[in-house]
Amino acid sequence: FTDGTVANTVELLDVGDATTSSSVAPIPLANGLLFFLYLPDTGWEPWFTDGTPAGTRILEVAPGAAGMNGWGIEQAPVRVDDDVYIAVGTSALTFELWRTDGTVEGTTLVREFEAGIAFGEYHLLGFSPVPNGLLLSPLTEESGRELWFTDGTRAGTRLLQDIAPGALSSSSSVYAAHHIAVTPRVVYTYADDTTTGLELWAARIEDLGLPCRGDCDGNSAVTVDELIGGVHARLSQASLPQCPLLDRDSSGTVSAAELRTAIRTALRGC
């Protein structure tokens, strides 16, 4: 770590013969930096640093010496607000979606996807941030390649629409799934419903049923009173059963990250 001066240039981690990933750039977070590093004992894994040796740590998502060596997904991790989403290959036919905020306790498995097809370029995911979550186009055995949404929790990860029925894919090529464009109010993507061919599809974000984090009364907006209630719950560590949309991880309390998400939602709208 350095601030540009000799006096404040310090070694954060003795990595020996470690290798950094040339294909995945470090990702700045609010409280530090997420980067990817190979060590013989851990393989490829995400690491986090706050700029101090004590605050530099591994966020192990694939335990063991192999690490994430087999992930092989042509999909770079992406930051969404306080979180980074990572796709990790676990076998030739499956991958896992992980979320991390740079802390060990905040590094969690979101969901495993069974692709049913050999690993490689077919696992392009088309990560596209949207308010309070992420759009992606995974390939699954049940529904083929379709558009999904996740809010970073297993319960909040779902297929938005099975455009091509059943195991058929609505994307006729592996690269079409990577073409997701998000504007403030509309999502655009290529899709083939098996009847009209590959066409440009659009959906209003408000019609996708995405969660409005911090909206306690269901009016699709986060008010000052709702934020004040969240602050009180955070300071007192009290439960907030009347506002489940503020408590994303269903822990029964409000974390600082959940409160920041509600504030952002209040500022930019649901």
Side-chain angles (χ1 to χ4, degrees):
F1 170 81
T2 183
D3 64 0
T5 67
V6 174
N8 290 320
T9 299
V10 298
E11 180 184 73
L12 299 179
L13 179 69
D14 183 2
V15 297
D17 295 328
T19 304
T20 56
S21 173
S22 60
S23 61
V24 181
I27 301 174
L29 293 174
N31 54 347
L33 186 73
L34 187 76
F35 61 99
F36 294 81
L37 187 69
Y38 175 86
L39 291 174
D41 293 338
T42 63
W44 285 109
E45 290 286 0
W47 288 68
F48 173 84
T49 183
D50 63 1
T52 68
T56 301
R57 56 186 175 267
I58 187 173
L59 306 173
E60 200 169 26
V61 301
M68 295 175 5
N69 293 2
W71 65 327
I73 297 178
E74 300 297 326
Q75 174 64 65
V78 64
R79 177 180 174 180
V80 181
D81 297 329
D82 291 328
D83 298 319
V84 174
Y85 288 87
I86 306 168
V88 181
T90 55
S91 76
L93 302 178
T94 65
F95 76 90
E96 295 174 347
L97 180 65
W98 284 74
R99 170 177 59 84
T100 181
D101 60 4
T103 66
V104 174
E105 60 274 12
T107 301
T108 59
L109 171 64
V110 178
R111 180 186 167 122
E112 183 178 72
F113 291 87
E114 295 281 348
I117 192 170
F119 209 63
E121 67 178 4
Y122 293 96
H123 293 259
L124 286 166
L125 300 176
F127 282 173
S128 298
V130 291
N132 298 318
L134 182 74
L135 293 176
L136 63 158
S137 293
L139 180 65
T140 67
E141 281 190 291
E142 297 81 9
S143 57
R145 185 186 303 283
E146 299 288 355
L147 191 62
W148 288 62
F149 169 80
T150 181
D151 65 355
T153 68
R154 181 173 182 82
T157 302
R158 67 184 191 277
L159 174 67
L160 289 178
Q161 184 177 346
D162 193 5
I163 296 175
L168 297 174
S169 294
S170 65
S171 296
S172 61
S173 82
V174 296
Y175 295 104
H178 199 57
H179 297 157
I180 302 173
V182 180
T183 70
R185 295 188 179 277
V186 181
V187 173
Y188 298 92
T189 187
Y190 290 115
D192 182 352
D193 63 2
T194 72
T195 300
T196 60
L198 190 65
E199 301 281 357
L200 182 64
W201 288 59
R204 295 188 304 174
I205 289 179
E206 64 188 74
D207 294 335
L208 295 178
L210 307 187
C212 184
R213 290 295 172 195
D215 175 23
C216 301
D217 59 11
N219 68 346
S220 298
V222 179
T223 66
V224 172
D225 287 341
E226 287 167 335
L227 291 178
I228 292 174
V231 171
H232 286 166
R234 169 63 182 164
L235 294 176
S236 64
Q237 290 297 300
S239 62
L240 200 65
Q242 74 275 20
C243 192
L245 278 177
L246 186 54
D247 180 18
R248 179 174 73 167
D249 60 7
S250 301
S251 65
T253 59
V254 178
S255 68
E258 289 168 338
L259 191 56
R260 287 195 297 270
T261 296
I263 293 171
R264 278 191 293 265
T265 302
L267 294 174
R268 68 190 177 195
C270 292

